[in-house]
Amino acid sequence: MPSLSPWVLLLLAIGAEIVGTSCLKVSDGFSRPWPTLVVLTAYGLSMTLMSRVVKTIPMGISYALWSGIGIVAIVLIGVVAYRQVPTGGQLIGMGLITAGVLIVNLSSPLTKG
């Protein structure tokens, strides 16, 4: 089986982190076994994938994308699933995070040289 592109692995790592973080609330402080298992498994998978991603994509770029996309996705999930409406200041902050991720990625080499 051919190995997956580091960019695909990064997207999978981001997805796993989003799943894990999304299940934190329903784990009820790790008191509910199944959501807790999902959280721990998703975080473990995310870290495993990230450990492979940083072999090719610079760590700063990988982490900026992983955290930036994760933050925005979790806020959107919070709005849809938990009716958590962000304040204007929080929206501005997320916009700045998104702008920062874009600037970091557009001004940096994409792979190790």
Side-chain angles (χ1 to χ4, degrees), residues 9-104:
L9 294 177
L10 179 58
L11 290 175
L12 292 171
I14 293 167
E17 186 270 334
I18 291 167
V19 168
T21 302
S22 298
C23 291
L24 274 174
K25 186 169 180 70
V26 295
S27 78
D28 197 25
F30 286 171
S31 66
R32 298 182 61 211
W34 290 112
T36 297
L37 182 62
V38 171
V39 170
L40 297 175
T41 301
Y43 283 163
L45 177 60
S46 183
M47 290 296 108
T48 300
L49 292 169
M50 282 296 284
S51 73
R52 292 187 57 200
V53 168
V54 297
K55 288 181 177 180
T56 306
I57 302 171
M59 188 168 39
I61 301 299
S62 301
Y63 189 72
L65 284 168
W66 182 80
S67 59
I69 293 169
I71 288 167
V72 172
I74 290 302
V75 169
L76 293 174
I77 289 168
V79 168
V80 172
Y82 302 114
R83 309 276 189 253
Q84 299 171 338
V85 180
T87 66
Q90 291 167 334
L91 290 172
I92 291 169
M94 286 183 294
L96 291 171
I97 290 168
T98 303
V101 168
L102 288 172
I103 291 168
V104 165

